[in-house]
Amino acid sequence: MGTRTIEWRDGTVVTIDQTRLPQEVAILEMRSWTKVAEAIKTMKIRGAPLLGAAAAFALALVAYNSKAENRLELINELEKAAEILRGTRPTGANLFWAMDRILDKARKFSGDREALAAFVVEEAQKIADEDAEANHLIGKYGAELLRDGDVILTHCNAGALATVEYGTALGVVRSAWEQGKRVMVIATETRPKLQGARLTTYELKRDGIPVTLITDNMVGYVMYKRMVSNVVVGADRIVQDAVINKIGTFTIAVLAKEHNKPFYVAAPKSTFDLNHTSKDVIIEERKPQEVTQIGSQRIAADGIEVLNPAFDITPLEYVTAIICESGILYKEDFDKFKTKHSVG
């Protein structure tokens, strides 16, 4: 792989199998959209902005490999594939946003089948390019909020691996580091899939940025001990009244507020879903084995009931600011943004 986490190479979608990190950097080469769907479902591909690009490239594969005889047949194929892709991960906004964008434009496209197929591939590439550009802007704006010597607490993985390149929350850290600010990171392990332990620490170590790994239940301790300057996390969906992010985010937000520490959310506008509230969001419920087992070793008694939501809901009152590619949105800025960009 180059600097990008996902790439389109003449009918092949190339990305990293994130379930194999950090022990092994395994490259996935997928030539059918069903392979991409399977990689999303099994979390070989994960991270809300990356899921948007992956879904777009999945539709590009539909178009690239299509044997449809006309434009309408191809649109029908795209819609059927999108329906299945929508069922892979229900919570993150970017996956739906990317496919809706491609389908809306495909339906309005006036050229023939061949031209439409080429257009879909081109639009998917645009979505990937725009995500990369947005992440660098998020990093630039977010770095303004960090001071030399700051210790940033982050949760889950909102780095280059969760995006097309550079990262959202970790993009902010990277940008500050590139500016010469000697920042440090405290990363939570992020049970039960351990994205913080496996992916965030891997990225930061690779980049030479100091990082300390803690278990999820140590956040209160490090806050109480005044070891944290601020919190920067990513988001899977931002609705009118809340941020939806990896399970455990709300706990950290409450602790940050209690200890008067800024709580920043870094996410591209493709994560915004401003026509809905937190009551409308489907929270993905994952397999109980993720909680009852570590690897193949069972750690809980047989027959135990398990609750395993992948995400939680942080009301906006706990969020100091949202960092996106347009800049830093404090509450009043976000309220204006909502008024301008929501429909109806």
Side-chain angles (χ1 to χ4, degrees):
M1 294 295 296
T3 56
R4 293 204 164 179
T5 306
I6 195 165
E7 292 174 352
W8 172 269
R9 296 183 192 164
D10 298 325
T12 304
V13 177
V14 183
T15 190
I16 297 164
D17 181 347
Q18 300 200 31
T19 62
R20 308 276 280 277
L21 288 169
Q23 283 79 16
E24 181 189 0
V25 180
I27 304 300
L28 296 173
E29 295 186 355
M30 298 167 288
R31 293 175 183 83
S32 74
W33 72 267
T34 54
K35 293 280 188 197
V36 179
E38 184 59 26
I40 291 171
K41 197 165 182 60
T42 55
M43 291 182 72
K44 291 175 180 177
I45 300 172
R46 39 69 52 201
L50 185 63
L51 290 177
F57 281 141
L59 293 186
L61 284 171
V62 172
Y64 187 87
N65 294 316
S66 176
K67 301 288 190 289
E69 292 184 6
N70 57 54
R71 179 179 148 277
L72 288 175
E73 272 188 28
L74 175 52
I75 290 170
N76 191 41
E77 285 180 10
L78 290 167
E79 286 174 340
K80 282 183 175 172
E83 198 55 41
I84 291 166
L85 284 157
R86 285 178 209 281
T88 54
R89 301 291 306 277
T91 303
N94 312 64
L95 180 139
F96 300 92
W97 166 84
M99 291 192 295
D100 286 344
R101 171 171 156 175
I102 287 175
L103 289 172
D104 288 346
K105 291 190 176 187
R107 290 182 194 114
K108 293 170 187 165
F109 191 81
S110 57
D112 62 14
R113 188 205 73 83
E114 287 77 13
L116 176 57
F119 173 79
V120 170
V121 173
E122 189 181 301
E123 192 64 22
Q125 186 60 59
K126 263 191 202 172
I127 285 170
D129 292 343
E130 287 169 19
D131 184 68
E133 185 183 349
N135 278 264
H136 284 277
L137 286 169
I138 288 166
K140 176 186 150 197
Y141 290 124
E144 296 169 14
L145 299 166
L146 304 185
R147 301 176 304 271
D148 189 56
D150 271 3
V151 179
I152 301 108
L153 177 75
T154 194
H155 184 56
C156 196
N157 173 260
L161 290 166
T163 64
V164 172
E165 68 174 54
Y166 205 64
T168 52
L170 292 194
V172 171
V173 172
R174 278 196 177 94
S175 186
W177 184 260
E178 286 161 9
Q179 289 173 13
K181 294 175 182 174
R182 298 299 90 176
V183 294
M184 295 171 280
V185 175
I186 293 176
T188 56
E189 61 178 350
T190 327
R191 282 276 294 151
K193 297 294 282 183
L194 302 173
Q195 295 97 325
R198 294 189 305 102
L199 306 177
T200 295
T201 59
Y202 166 80
E203 282 196 47
L204 292 169
K205 186 170 184 289
R206 182 187 62 191
D207 289 358
I209 299 171
V211 58
T212 299
L213 176 65
I214 63 170
T215 63
D216 294 345
N217 53 6
M218 290 180 194
V219 174
Y221 176 82
V222 296
M223 291 268 190
Y224 179 79
K225 286 288 193 178
R226 301 186 179 179
M227 295 165 71
V228 176
S229 311
N230 40 55
V231 178
V232 187
V233 298
D236 289 81
R237 188 182 291 251
I238 297 174
V239 290
Q240 290 176 17
D241 59 335
V243 169
I244 318 300
N245 194 48
K246 182 56 57 187
I247 190 77
T249 302
F250 181 37
T251 308
I252 295 169
V254 171
L255 282 161
K257 190 165 190 176
E258 177 66 24
H259 292 87
N260 295 311
K261 299 301 176 187
F263 183 91
Y264 300 118
V265 175
K269 288 185 284 189
S270 56
T271 310
F272 292 14
D273 176 15
L274 301 180
N275 296 316
H276 293 101
T277 68
S278 53
K279 289 178 183 170
D280 303 318
V281 178
I282 297 167
I283 297 293
E284 178 182 351
E285 181 72 27
R286 296 190 57 81
K287 293 176 184 173
Q289 289 88 336
E290 291 178 358
V291 178
T292 59
Q293 292 179 200
I294 294 180
S296 58
Q297 178 69 44
R298 188 172 180 92
I299 55 168
D302 289 339
I304 291 296
E305 287 292 321
V306 172
L307 178 66
N308 186 20
F311 305 96
D312 65 17
I313 298 162
T314 301
L316 286 180
E317 67 197 76
Y318 292 91
V319 177
T320 308
I322 294 166
I323 310 157
C324 71
E325 63 267 44
S326 297
I328 299 162
L329 304 178
Y330 291 94
K331 185 182 183 306
E332 57 275 19
D333 306 311
F334 187 64
D335 287 343
K336 285 179 196 165
F337 190 91
K338 279 192 294 188
T339 305
K340 188 176 175 184
H341 294 277
S342 57
V343 177

